[in-house]
Amino acid sequence: MDWKLILQLVGIALGLLYLYLEYKANIWLWVVGLIMPIVHGTLYFRAGLYADCSMQVYYILAGLYGLAVWSRGKRKSATAEPEISHTPFGVWMQIGVLYVAIHATLYVLLTTFTDSTVPGLDSFTTALCIVAYWMLSRKYVEQWLVWLVVDAVTVGLYLYKGIPLTAGLYALYTGLAVAGYLRWLRMMRQVA
């Protein structure tokens, strides 16, 4: 079996499990999120997606942070729904500034130090992933909308880079981001 195929199949299985747990707002998503970056990091490195590859280190660190934040919640059960809220306006402003800084930095790094053939898209999706993952750790419902943009753009990027099964996973993520957003809105309203 080809290495791309094996890594994509394992990544798809982990990705589907992760998304299911995220959809359910289940704390175990962070545990799966600590394993998944190893598989995806290897795949992305071998495909020449260097920003996506380096992003996996961030996912491990952010996964540890998210696990700690969700563990400190008021509810004791690992499967309890977290306290979900809208992203405050002031936080959106900070997120915007952070996104621009990350995107610009990654673009410069990719164009200066790598042979990336897609530095603009790679830095775009990676910067948005950093923002979305942080928003997930804070339980902001709009994180799903950021993921929607990331997932839709990533489908085309991964098809271009020759990893179609992973592109298919992100196509599924795109649709499920809408469903996740609607579910989290309902969960948020039920708590209020």
Side-chain angles (χ1 to χ4, degrees):
M1 230 186 220
D2 164 309
W3 65 267
K4 278 187 183 180
L5 180 60
I6 293 169
L7 291 172
Q8 288 181 89
L9 291 174
V10 173
I12 287 170
L14 290 170
L16 291 174
L17 177 58
Y18 177 89
L19 189 60
Y20 171 77
L21 295 170
E22 182 180 3
Y23 179 79
K24 293 291 195 176
N26 186 300
I27 196 170
W28 287 99
L29 74 93
W30 298 109
V31 175
V32 174
L34 292 172
I35 299 166
M36 206 168 41
I38 297 166
V39 174
H40 285 148
T42 304
L43 175 64
Y44 300 149
F45 181 79
R46 306 265 321 252
L49 292 163
Y50 304 117
D52 279 353
C53 177
S54 63
M55 180 71 187
Q56 304 314 302
V57 174
Y58 168 77
Y59 280 146
I60 291 170
L61 297 174
L64 292 169
Y65 172 75
L67 183 60
V69 169
W70 282 37
S71 294
R72 284 194 317 245
K74 294 179 183 174
R75 300 176 190 227
K76 301 296 182 196
S77 171
T79 58
E81 296 173 354
E83 296 173 19
I84 298 167
S85 66
H86 286 290
T87 310
F89 179 75
V91 173
W92 275 118
M93 300 302 288
Q94 295 168 354
I95 287 171
V97 170
L98 181 64
Y99 163 78
V100 169
I102 294 169
H103 185 159
T105 301
L106 288 173
Y107 183 80
V108 168
L109 290 172
L110 288 173
T111 56
T112 304
F113 299 109
T114 74
D115 61 352
S116 177
T117 58
V118 288
L121 286 176
D122 200 5
S123 58
F124 171 75
T125 57
T126 301
L128 278 182
C129 283
I130 291 170
V131 167
Y133 215 56
W134 178 82
M135 291 174 73
L136 172 62
S137 75
R138 305 311 302 172
K139 304 172 195 162
Y140 293 137
V141 69
E142 292 83 9
Q143 59 95 11
W144 285 104
L145 300 177
V146 177
W147 284 121
L148 178 64
V149 172
V150 169
D151 298 338
V153 171
T154 299
V155 170
L157 178 61
Y158 288 1
L159 285 172
Y160 175 76
K161 293 305 279 185
I163 47 178
L165 294 178
T166 303
L169 176 64
Y170 278 81
L172 178 62
Y173 282 176
T174 302
L176 292 176
V178 174
Y181 176 70
L182 296 174
R183 176 176 168 80
W184 276 38
L185 280 176
R186 285 191 306 275
M187 291 167 62
M188 186 176 65
R189 289 182 190 128
Q190 289 173 353
V191 173

